[in-house]
């Protein structure tokens, strides 16, 4: 499938798939979306002294990198990706310059350079395990405080936004765990509720009216 580098509205890059008219991050700002959906609505809601995070769609590594930059506590991060981006595509991402994160450029590179299927201590307070895995093959149980659900949209991959998938997410979360996603589709919200989540509609990132936050209530 053809892949192009696109500059989004906040000046940061993303990967665009013209055959699907879909991209890895919002056209209205890759970095803005990460901060709004995953950091402000997700990471900052976790009160534990150490947080375990599952990302559905590791992609360009942007969510993992910004989580590293913003975390005030130790993080155990697991990123799932069925089709990893290439090293050449990673080097075309301009996140370091837009984030003014030159001092952490080596950390971003390390996140992409470390091997898959092994847990790596990126820094003393941030571990990373990248799993090359289809989302329907997830079998984790009671393992995570937070899930970043950042799969391609339901318009192009509806099979990733079903009760079957969200049941796996529910099982993977610890009690009172949180799942956040940029999506606000009614069918997605209903699928979440059907498997036991308590679901909130929240104001969306730039370009989207709403987003969803789902909680595995005790």
């Amino acid at each position: 499938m053809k892949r192009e580098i696109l500059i989004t509205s906040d000046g940061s890059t993303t990967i665009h798939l013209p055959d699907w008219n879909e991209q890895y991050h919002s056209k209205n700002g890759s970095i803005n979306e990460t901060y709004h959906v995953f950091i402000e609505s997700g990471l900052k809601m976790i009160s534990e002294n150490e947080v375990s995070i599952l990302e559905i769609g590791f992609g360009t590594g942007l969510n993992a990198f910004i989580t590293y930059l913003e975390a005030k506590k130790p993080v155990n991060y697991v990123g799932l990706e069925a089709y990893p981006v290439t090293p050449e595509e990673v080097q075309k991402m301009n996140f370091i310059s837009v984030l003014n994160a030159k001092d952490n450029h080596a950390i971003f590179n390390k996140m992409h350079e470390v091997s898959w299927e092994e847990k790596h201590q990126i820094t003393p307070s941030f571990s990373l395990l990248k799993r090359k895995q289809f989302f329907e093959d997830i079998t984790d149980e009671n393992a995570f405080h937070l899930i970043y659900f950042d799969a391609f949209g339901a318009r192009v991959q509806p099979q990733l936004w079903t009760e079957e998938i969200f049941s796996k997410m529910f099982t993977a979360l610890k009690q009172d765990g949180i799942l956040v996603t940029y999506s606000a589709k009614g069918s997605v919200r209903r699928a979440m509720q059907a498997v036991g989540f308590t679901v909130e509609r929240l104001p969306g990132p730039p370009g989207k009216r709403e987003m969803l936050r789902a909680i595995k209530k005790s």
Side-chain angles (χ1 to χ4, degrees), residues 101-136:
K102 185 178 179 181
D103 290 347
N104 289 292
H105 198 170
I107 297 294
F108 179 73
N109 287 341
K110 188 175 182 180
M111 288 179 170
H112 285 281
E113 291 166 357
V114 294
S115 58
W116 292 73
E117 315 304 338
E118 295 180 275
K119 182 177 179 179
H120 298 273
Q121 206 64 44
I122 303 297
T123 70
S125 62
F126 193 99
S127 71
L128 174 63
L129 168 61
K130 298 186 295 184
R131 291 174 9 199
K132 192 173 180 180
Q133 184 178 30
F134 291 108
F135 305 152
E136 54 265 37

Side-chain angles (χ1 to χ4, degrees), residues 39-109:
I39 305 302
E40 297 297 331
S41 303
L43 182 64
K44 291 188 177 181
M45 303 298 294
I46 304 300
S47 59
E48 280 76 7
N49 293 328
E50 184 170 327
V51 57
S52 294
I53 300 173
L54 173 65
E55 180 178 13
I56 302 300
F58 184 76
T60 65
L62 178 60
N63 294 337
F65 183 59
I66 291 182
T67 297
Y68 162 75
L69 295 178
E70 295 298 327
K72 309 300 182 187
K73 60 189 73 174
V75 173
N76 298 306
Y77 201 100
V78 177
L80 266 61
E81 181 61 58
Y83 302 101
V85 300
T86 67
E88 292 75 21
E89 288 169 327
V90 170
Q91 293 307 310
K92 292 177 181 178
M93 298 296 104
N94 67 356
F95 306 140
I96 300 300
S97 60
V98 177
L99 287 164
N100 193 26
K102 185 178 179 181
D103 290 347
N104 289 292
H105 198 170
I107 297 294
F108 179 73
N109 287 341

Side-chain angles (χ1 to χ4, degrees), residues 200-218:
E200 305 173 272
R201 289 192 187 94
L202 301 174
K208 286 188 68 68
R209 188 166 60 88
E210 293 181 325
M211 58 165 282
L212 298 175
R213 180 165 61 205
I215 303 171
K216 182 178 179 177
K217 293 282 192 182
S218 298

